[in-house]
Amino acid sequence: MMTTSLALLILFGSALLVLGNLRVVVQDTYAMITTCATRARASGQMIPRLAFLLLWLLIFSLSFA
């Protein structure tokens, strides 16, 4: 019971920290995605990386369905 309570406390604390800084998280995520997309486009790896991303999205979506 104590372990479950501690795990839930850590989970809710982490969620609270993320939600409290949501604007910064979104800005950093957007900057990272645009940088990676620019590099992939410049190196000619955009289609393989996009296919890999879609594969993982498919795997995760099917695992929760």
Side-chain angles (χ1 to χ4, degrees), residues 6-53:
L6 182 61
L8 287 173
L9 182 66
I10 291 171
L11 176 71
F12 291 136
S14 298
L16 185 63
L17 284 172
V18 169
L19 291 175
N21 296 316
L22 192 58
R23 189 179 77 191
V24 176
V25 171
V26 169
Q27 287 174 344
D28 289 345
T29 303
Y30 178 74
M32 185 267 312
I33 289 173
T34 55
T35 301
C36 289
T38 303
R39 276 194 233 151
R41 200 176 318 129
S43 67
Q45 293 294 318
M46 183 64 112
I47 293 176
R49 289 188 183 181
L50 183 62
F52 186 69
L53 172 72

